[in-house]
Amino acid sequence: MADETGLDFSDQIAALENKYQQALKDLYKHLTPIQRLSIARHPNRPTVLDHILNITEKWVELHGDRAGYDDPAIVTGIGSMDEKSYMFIGHQKGRNTKENIARNFAMPTPHGYRKALRMMKYADHHGFPIITFVDTPGAFADLKSEELGQGEAIAHNLRTMFGLKVPVVTVVTGEGGSGGALAIACSNKLFMLENSAFYVASPEACAAILWKSSQAAPKAAEKLRITAQEHYRLKIADGVIPEPLGGAHVDPAWTSQQIKITITQAIKELENMNTEELLQHRRLKFRSIGGFQEGIPVEPKRKRNMKPSEVNMPKAADIELEIENLKKKILEAKGPSDPITTQAIEKLKKDVDKEMTNAFISMGLQEKLESVKLELSKASKDTSSQPLNRNLKEKVDKIMQEFNHNLSQPGAYLGLKQKLEKLNLVSRLTEIEERKQKLKAEINQKVPAELKEKMELLKNAEEKISKGEPVDKELMEEVEAVKKELVEVLKSANLEVVGVTKKNVVAAPSELKEKIEKVNTEIYEEIERVINEAGISGRIEELKAGIAKGSSSEDIEKAEAKIKEEILATLDVEALKEKVKSLTVELDLPEETVAEGNICAENGKFQ
């Protein structure tokens, strides 16, 4: 534009460049772990050979494991820096698909690790410090590699590296995956580039294992703590090597020089140690990572719990206790809007929503759900009064069927299932409590003021009876009349009255307590005799065992009903009725109830 128009745009260009640099700084200052991993995997990121050629004056690559193969995924050779010779070993990636296939995407086979081991022994023999560069997704895990002893080759490298008598320095330039990286990284000093990553399993693999979906990789990357900053904080890495703004591929030469400065400083420090100090330094570095502290005695026999951790797992007893507490709160609440109950229910709903979201993510249904929500919101705006689109309804039904199918799998999502059961129970209890309050209000409206005064009379009479005070016959007749009148009022409120019981327990006079206890004892003895004679005791024990094992409620109810029928068939019900009736006459109470002894004459049953 300047050439065409003859105008000077240098100020505008400078302002735009400054704005761009500031945006770049803001972006790279707050990178997430998964974003740093993306930079570490950038196809233009400098490889191990790029760094070696940038920092060495002379370089000779060495090949082969002396067993018939040269693995191109691992590069080894001797190079000189500042007129001093070093043994360089590292994983080599390619620039494009063709090069990556040739280098096997920097995933070594056992031949590669044996080549690295041969070079380490060579350097140890000649006294060359060893510099290793880590940049691999992990060891190659194909069938052939396993047959050739992949695990044994890695283990052999780990063991040998702790016995090397020369300084060993490791630099993680890209990504370091599990044992494939550690096989050349048991060093005295470990450094990581600013945007590199070191992990036991890739975030995608971790997400697939834990959340059943690789889409949860960002979350897994945070939990795994794969970044250089996290490793330095945890004292696994000894330092973080800075990169240019935008990553190492922006200025590879400058990055290589930063690596060279870090390596030379570390080697100077390590060369001041004698052989024994060097070996001890390497051992203690890894022992301190495992929590070992020198000088503190270690318990020779430690008991290890091999069961999965149950710290965060909801226990059945805790869930039951929580349900009972919530049930109690609902039943004791003054009304449906009691603040304590509402707060507890809201918390439960939030927990269920959170668990449901996690379940949808782990099932891989989150994206489908979001797309359906978006379609629903559009449909509701366009056609607010029309019914739901059939195609959209089918999509929702399909998602819910898949969700319910996954949820119904045995042992899956136990926490969510328990919370859903609890929420259903709470909803039912709340609904019952609301209906109760509504019904109570309706009955109070229909009960006339005169009847309310008579109900006070009824209440006073019951109190007198409970205290054992004598009650005259006229008062009792009036009480019965009030009861009948109250029944009629309840029937007018469309309520079916199935029976009349007393709210307060009637205490028997003290002189009749012995008689009541005697009748109770006789009834118990009679029932026990019947059980023994009929041979029912064995089935009762079986029923108890079934309840303890958690048998289905239908089976338990059937067994109980059968046992009751056999007991009633053998029991002398008429004789028991006579005893209850005679006791009722002595107490001078209605025949329906003798509360102190928990005896009920109805149908000749004993409770």
Side-chain angles (χ1 to χ4, degrees):
M1 284 177 68
D3 291 337
E4 289 173 4
T5 60
L7 298 173
D8 185 9
F9 291 100
S10 52
D11 291 343
Q12 288 88 338
I13 291 168
L16 286 170
E17 285 178 346
N18 290 334
K19 194 174 180 181
Y20 167 73
Q21 289 297 325
Q22 188 59 44
L24 208 62
K25 282 179 186 175
D26 293 340
L27 178 64
Y28 279 86
K29 198 182 287 181
H30 305 99
L31 291 172
T32 61
I34 198 70
Q35 287 172 334
R36 290 195 185 277
L37 183 60
S38 298
I39 296 169
R41 291 171 173 172
H42 197 284
N44 294 334
R45 194 171 178 84
T47 63
V48 169
L49 279 175
D50 293 331
H51 289 306
I52 290 172
L53 294 171
N54 283 337
I55 66 178
T56 57
E57 294 93 29
K58 295 178 182 178
W59 159 252
V60 178
E61 187 175 350
L62 302 174
H63 299 271
D65 63 344
R66 295 295 183 267
Y69 188 75
D70 177 38
D71 190 349
I74 283 190
V75 170
T76 60
I78 300 173
S80 63
M81 289 192 306
D82 302 329
E83 300 181 354
K84 182 175 175 60
S85 296
Y86 297 87
M87 176 61 73
F88 291 95
I89 301 168
H91 303 97
Q92 177 65 23
K93 283 185 176 179
R95 288 281 181 214
N96 49 46
T97 306
K98 188 177 178 181
E99 286 183 17
N100 271 318
I101 291 170
R103 295 283 181 181
N104 199 30
F105 295 87
M107 293 187 289
T109 61
H111 297 287
Y113 292 117
R114 286 169 186 143
K115 176 169 79 167
L117 181 65
R118 183 174 77 85
M119 297 307 168
M120 288 175 194
K121 289 179 178 178
Y122 180 87
D124 192 38
H125 177 73
H126 291 284
F128 297 148
I130 299 170
I131 312 298
T132 65
F133 292 93
V134 172
D135 187 13
T136 178
F140 194 47
D142 69 326
L143 183 62
K144 189 70 176 174
S145 296
E146 297 299 332
E147 287 174 352
L148 293 171
Q150 183 74 284
E152 184 271 342
I154 292 171
H156 200 167
N157 278 27
L158 298 178
R159 186 185 68 181
T160 304
M161 286 191 81
F162 282 101
L164 297 172
K165 299 179 180 66
V166 292
V168 184
V169 175
T170 298
V171 179
V172 183
T173 59
E175 55 179 332
S178 191
L182 199 61
I184 61 168
C186 294
S187 54
N188 294 93
K189 295 277 187 180
L190 173 69
F191 299 99
M192 296 179 71
L193 284 177
E194 188 180 344
N195 293 314
S196 61
F198 211 166
Y199 48 74
V200 70
S202 68
E204 291 83 4
C206 176
I209 294 165
L210 295 182
W211 291 282
K212 306 294 184 289
S213 171
S214 59
Q215 293 171 357
K219 185 179 178 182
E222 288 182 16
K223 300 291 183 184
L224 285 170
R225 301 181 182 180
I226 63 174
T227 62
Q229 294 74 16
E230 284 287 352
H231 281 78
Y232 181 67
R233 185 180 65 81
L234 295 168
K235 298 181 181 178
I236 296 169
D238 295 282
V240 178
I241 302 171
E243 293 184 30
L245 199 64
H249 53 279
V250 174
D251 193 348
W254 186 86
T255 308
S256 298
Q257 289 307 310
Q258 297 302 312
I259 292 171
K260 181 179 179 180
I261 292 165
T262 305
I263 289 171
T264 51
Q265 287 176 351
I267 292 294
K268 279 181 186 177
E269 184 185 337
L270 295 171
E271 280 180 338
N272 293 328
M273 301 179 188
N274 59 39
T275 303
E276 189 56 40
E277 287 173 342
L278 196 68
L279 292 171
Q280 184 70 355
H281 176 273
R282 195 179 303 142
R283 282 196 293 267
L284 287 179
K285 173 181 170 56
F286 285 87
R287 294 187 84 175
S288 63
I289 292 171
F292 172 80
Q293 292 182 353
E294 196 66 47
I296 297 174
V298 180
E299 188 181 349
K301 290 183 180 178
R302 279 179 60 191
K303 291 183 180 178
R304 290 173 173 83
N305 184 11
M306 302 305 290
K307 286 175 66 180
S309 175
E310 296 178 353
V311 175
N312 298 321
M313 285 292 289
K315 294 178 182 176
D318 296 338
I319 294 288
E320 287 174 10
L321 182 63
E322 202 173 338
I323 290 172
E324 286 301 321
N325 290 338
L326 199 53
K327 190 192 289 187
K328 192 175 179 182
K329 280 182 183 178
I330 291 169
L331 295 175
E332 290 177 356
K334 294 176 183 177
S337 60
D338 185 86
I340 300 172
T341 311
T342 307
Q343 190 178 359
I345 293 169
E346 286 300 319
K347 184 179 179 300
L348 181 60
K349 285 180 180 177
K350 284 180 183 177
D351 290 345
V352 170
D353 285 342
K354 190 176 177 181
E355 292 272 354
M356 289 274 279
T357 305
N358 292 337
F360 270 101
I361 291 169
S362 67
M363 292 176 191
L365 300 173
Q366 186 67 10
E367 284 191 3
K368 292 181 184 178
L369 190 66
E370 291 297 330
S371 65
V372 167
K373 280 183 181 177
L374 189 64
E375 287 182 39
L376 274 170
S377 62
K378 286 180 182 177
S380 61
K381 286 179 184 176
D382 298 339
T383 56
S384 55
S385 59
Q386 293 181 8
L388 189 66
N389 187 350
R390 185 178 177 183
N391 187 29
L392 200 57
K393 189 175 183 300
E394 285 177 0
K395 283 184 182 178
V396 173
D397 291 341
K398 191 175 179 182
I399 291 170
M400 290 312 299
Q401 281 175 7
E402 192 173 346
F403 176 79
N404 291 329
H405 174 72
N406 293 334
L407 194 66
S408 62
Q409 297 297 321
Y413 309 101
L414 293 176
L416 177 58
K417 286 177 184 175
Q418 289 169 338
K419 284 177 182 174
L420 282 171
E421 286 176 11
K422 184 164 59 166
L423 187 62
N424 289 334
L425 177 63
V426 167
S427 301
R428 287 200 302 272
L429 285 170
T430 308
E431 188 182 346
I432 290 166
E433 186 62 23
E434 286 176 357
R435 284 169 60 193
K436 188 175 93 173
Q437 295 294 334
K438 188 179 177 183
L439 186 61
K440 190 176 177 181
E442 286 179 9
I443 291 170
N444 284 334
Q445 284 177 359
K446 293 190 177 183
V447 173
E450 294 176 4
L451 185 58
K452 285 181 182 178
E453 291 176 5
K454 291 178 181 179
M455 284 171 69
E456 285 294 324
L457 178 69
L458 176 62
K459 188 178 176 183
N460 294 333
E462 286 180 348
E463 284 179 2
K464 282 185 179 181
I465 293 167
S466 64
K467 291 176 184 176
E469 295 179 9
V471 181
D472 57 356
K473 197 173 181 180
E474 291 180 5
L475 181 60
M476 287 303 296
E477 287 176 359
E478 194 172 349
V479 165
E480 290 300 320
V482 170
K483 281 184 184 178
K484 287 176 183 177
E485 195 174 343
L486 185 59
V487 167
E488 292 301 321
V489 171
L490 293 173
K491 283 180 180 177
S492 67
N494 295 325
L495 293 172
E496 184 183 353
V497 181
V498 295
V500 180
T501 59
K502 294 187 178 180
K503 187 176 178 181
N504 296 322
V505 174
V506 182
S510 56
E511 64 270 10
L512 293 176
K513 281 185 180 179
E514 290 181 7
K515 292 183 178 180
I516 293 170
E517 287 173 5
K518 186 180 177 184
V519 170
N520 260 335
T521 305
E522 288 176 7
I523 293 171
Y524 272 121
E525 286 174 355
E526 181 66 18
I527 292 171
E528 195 171 345
R529 182 188 63 77
V530 168
I531 288 170
N532 292 331
E533 286 181 2
I536 302 170
S537 56
R539 283 200 291 279
I540 292 172
E541 292 300 322
E542 287 176 10
L543 179 62
K544 287 179 182 177
I547 293 167
K549 285 179 183 176
S551 300
S552 64
S553 56
E554 290 182 9
D555 294 341
I556 291 168
E557 285 175 7
K558 285 179 183 177
E560 282 181 354
K562 193 173 181 182
I563 290 168
K564 284 179 182 177
E565 283 175 11
E566 289 185 15
I567 291 172
L568 286 172
T570 318
L571 201 64
D572 190 357
V573 177
E574 292 301 321
L576 294 178
K577 269 189 176 183
E578 287 299 322
K579 288 179 182 179
V580 172
K581 193 172 182 181
S582 62
L583 188 60
T584 306
V585 171
E586 284 190 54
L587 282 169
D588 196 21
L589 291 174
E591 290 187 11
E592 288 83 359
T593 306
V594 180
E596 181 69 25
N598 294 324
I599 302 169
C600 179
E602 186 184 354
N603 295 330
K605 291 182 183 177
F606 173 78
Q607 296 180 345

